[in-house]
Amino acid sequence: MSYINTYRTKNNTNSRSRKWNNSRPTRSRSKSRRIGQYIDPSRFIKIATASNEKPYEPKHTFSDFLISDKLKSNLAAKRYITPSHIQDQAIPIGLSGKDVIGIASTGTGKTAAFAIPIIQNLTTDSSSSAIIVAPTRELAQQIEEEFRELSRGCGLYSTLLIGGASMGRQLSELRRNPRIIIGTPGRIMDHLKRRALRLDKFNLVVLDEVDRMLDMGFVQDVSDILKQTSQQRQIFFFSATMDTRVRKLIENFSTNPTTISVKAGLASENVHQDVIKFQHNNEKLDKLHDILINKDVSKAIIFDETQRDVEHLAVELVSRGFSTEALHGGKSQGQRRRALSMFKSNQVNILVATDVAARGIDVADITHVINFSIPKVYDDYIHRIGRTGRAGRVGYALTFVENRSNSY
Ligand code: AMP
């Protein structure tokens, strides 16, 4: 039986919910949702599989790594407290200069696993340059953002070479000889063919999501790019799967790589994920109410889109008798601290929050993450659900999805 059905037993039609919904009759959630990336709802559904498995225990802390204090403080600013499995194992090898093969998918923290050794190398060796090749524009953009945040204050700048973006701007950025290039194979090849880019000094190379690049038919482009990089290079290969094609590509370009394979991501395997379907906005609140009265929901964080949405929802839940606090950027620092400490100390068991306000909050025993609105990008989803299912316990992530078809 689906997890959703266990919460469908009671059909609460409370008059206050009508009032709440009627108070915002013109607001269109589907409209606001279109601003972000489209996320296939099937990505919000996953049975927890590893509830009996012990979570990975990292052997290092970030301060154990031989990296600069600046890099450490940037990690702290991003609230990366402990290294993920792939980071724990790949960072020391990356720092040693050896080639790395990381079998890891999105959600494992793989980006920082290669970004950290690369940034460290670039800041200590001024003759080094790095090129990161990724299959899609979105992934390239995400990688660039991670690099920007992790290298803040290190005097490093990156250039993004992706299709669909201004060629003129990319050409003028390339004239300034950037030391970090992040791009998709097609656009990188365009620049190489125009001789706007030379790679012979690029000695740090990342191929991210190799299997996906090969699926997309980029095998020739990727090989051509690799051939043009420095002969004294270090390569990081990341792939969700290792098959013959991937192995062949690696064998052609690397002689003695170290392989690290991780199963579970940060979006922990022990988070049971499901969707709550609704047809009209005015039934959402009742469905949420039904979820929250379930005895299994002992501590829940509910995400909504804007500060105003969060405030409305928290007021409504309080009026329905749920002990609730709101956390969003419109509150003063003091109010936010107070809301958080009440949630931490179980004085309230429901926290309604925006993504930004909730980033990095560390509350150990959250049983449920409820996405009352769909996150704008999948990365935010990973962040949200990572709040539950900690320390080997099963957590639940429930995402409200408008029911337009029965295809998921
Ligand atoms: P990735 O697999 O690189 O796409 O990372 C997945 C998500 O995990 C991203 O939102 C990262 O910001 C986040 N992340 C990466 N490393 C850590 C860490 N050590 N601690 C907490 N979050 C992390």
Side-chain angles (χ1 to χ4, degrees):
M1 187 171 70
S2 149
Y3 188 78
I4 315 168
N5 293 335
T6 59
Y7 284 115
R8 280 204 180 132
T9 47
K10 181 171 170 285
N11 187 18
N12 181 305
T13 45
N14 182 311
S15 62
R16 263 180 304 203
S17 74
R18 297 271 166 270
K19 191 171 132 225
W20 183 79
N21 287 305
N22 290 343
S23 66
R24 311 190 292 167
T26 52
R27 189 169 183 286
S28 160
R29 278 182 176 276
S30 18
K31 190 175 168 210
S32 55
R33 238 188 359 244
R34 274 198 296 270
I35 300 166
Q37 170 192 64
Y38 170 74
I39 308 169
D40 186 334
S42 64
R43 297 177 84 186
F44 303 135
I45 304 171
K46 190 162 179 278
I47 307 289
T49 51
S51 53
N52 294 328
E53 273 180 31
K54 274 201 167 161
Y56 177 75
E57 279 177 27
K59 297 178 183 43
H60 308 94
T61 63
F62 283 117
S63 41
D64 293 337
F65 297 134
L66 294 171
I67 55 175
S68 67
D69 288 345
K70 190 80 222 153
L71 196 40
K72 284 180 191 165
S73 70
N74 289 341
L75 284 163
K78 275 179 77 68
R79 317 257 176 183
Y80 290 5
I81 312 297
T82 41
S84 69
H85 187 165
I86 188 80
Q87 292 164 1
D88 194 41
Q89 300 201 359
I91 291 170
I93 297 161
L95 288 169
S96 78
K98 287 186 70 174
D99 287 357
V100 175
I101 302 173
I103 306 299
S105 49
T106 297
T108 54
K110 67 183 168 69
T111 318
F114 60 77
I116 291 169
I118 286 179
I119 293 168
Q120 177 62 19
N121 186 315
L122 292 170
T123 46
T124 49
D125 182 351
S126 60
S127 65
S128 282
S129 298
I131 176 154
I132 295 104
V133 191
T136 63
R137 298 169 189 181
E138 292 74 26
L139 183 61
Q141 279 165 330
Q142 277 173 39
I143 295 170
E144 200 225 11
E145 194 182 324
E146 185 93 346
F147 263 86
R148 200 170 350 105
E149 289 172 355
L150 290 176
S151 64
R152 194 157 280 156
C154 297
L156 297 170
Y157 302 93
S158 53
T159 289
L160 193 59
L161 301 182
I162 55 174
S166 154
M167 200 68 177
R169 186 171 163 187
Q170 292 177 5
L171 288 168
S172 77
E173 285 188 21
L174 285 176
R175 280 194 283 277
R176 283 187 271 147
N177 296 322
R179 292 176 63 211
I180 307 176
I181 286 183
I182 300 160
T184 46
R187 185 55 71 97
I188 293 172
M189 281 308 292
D190 277 355
H191 286 289
L192 287 170
K193 284 181 191 150
R194 285 169 173 249
R195 297 183 196 283
L197 171 65
R198 283 182 59 144
L199 292 177
D200 51 338
K201 301 253 160 46
F202 281 72
N203 60 328
L204 301 164
V205 183
V206 179
L207 297 189
D208 199 9
E209 302 202 350
V210 184
D211 48 354
R212 212 157 141 211
M213 289 203 277
L214 300 186
D215 286 345
M216 290 166 81
F218 287 134
V219 64
Q220 195 55 49
D221 285 352
V222 167
S223 304
D224 288 348
I225 292 168
L226 274 176
K227 277 182 209 150
Q228 299 192 37
T229 56
S230 162
Q231 291 307 302
Q232 275 73 51
R233 66 193 161 216
Q234 178 186 16
I235 315 186
F236 298 78
F237 300 92
F238 278 83
S239 188
T241 54
M242 174 61 97
D243 58 26
T244 330
R245 301 163 315 154
V246 179
R247 196 168 290 120
K248 240 173 102 184
L249 181 90
I250 295 174
E251 277 166 12
N252 283 341
F253 291 97
S254 180
T255 42
N256 192 19
T258 303
T259 303
I260 295 146
S261 182
V262 307
K263 256 194 351 200
L266 286 158
S268 154
E269 293 290 307
N270 43 339
V271 179
H272 191 104
Q273 303 165 51
D274 210 341
V275 293
I276 305 294
K277 297 183 195 175
F278 67 94
Q279 302 222 301
H280 303 290
N281 277 334
N282 54 13
E283 62 181 347
K284 280 181 83 180
L285 194 65
D286 291 336
K287 292 205 169 199
L288 178 64
H289 186 121
D290 291 348
I291 293 169
L292 295 177
I293 57 174
N294 191 298
K295 64 175 174 27
D296 294 338
V297 184
S298 63
K299 200 162 186 169
I301 181 160
I302 304 173
F303 286 96
D304 211 347
E305 202 167 312
T306 65
Q307 294 178 5
R308 196 162 157 259
D309 294 335
V310 164
E311 201 56 52
H312 268 286
L313 184 54
V315 167
E316 177 62 25
L317 291 177
V318 167
S319 75
R320 285 171 174 237
F322 294 106
S323 65
T324 308
E325 274 292 329
L327 191 73
H328 58 72
K331 293 196 157 200
S332 71
Q333 198 56 39
Q335 287 172 322
R336 280 154 73 169
R337 207 176 310 117
R338 189 172 156 271
L340 202 52
S341 90
M342 288 180 78
F343 186 54
K344 275 190 172 175
S345 60
N346 295 322
Q347 287 168 270
V348 297
N349 71 330
I350 297 169
L351 186 71
V352 190
T354 56
D355 283 298
V356 178
R359 276 221 165 190
I361 68 163
D362 193 21
V363 181
D365 48 356
I366 295 172
T367 56
H368 286 69
V369 169
I370 299 169
N371 297 309
F372 200 59
S373 67
I374 288 184
K376 283 209 172 64
V377 291
Y378 192 66
D379 201 34
D380 284 342
Y381 178 74
I382 299 291
H383 267 284
R384 288 181 182 187
I385 72 167
R387 313 265 149 256
T388 184
R390 296 205 170 168
R393 273 180 289 224
V394 176
Y396 294 91
L398 302 172
T399 303
F400 278 78
V401 172
E402 206 168 332
N403 189 17
R404 293 204 208 108
S405 75
N406 291 322
S407 57
Y408 53 86

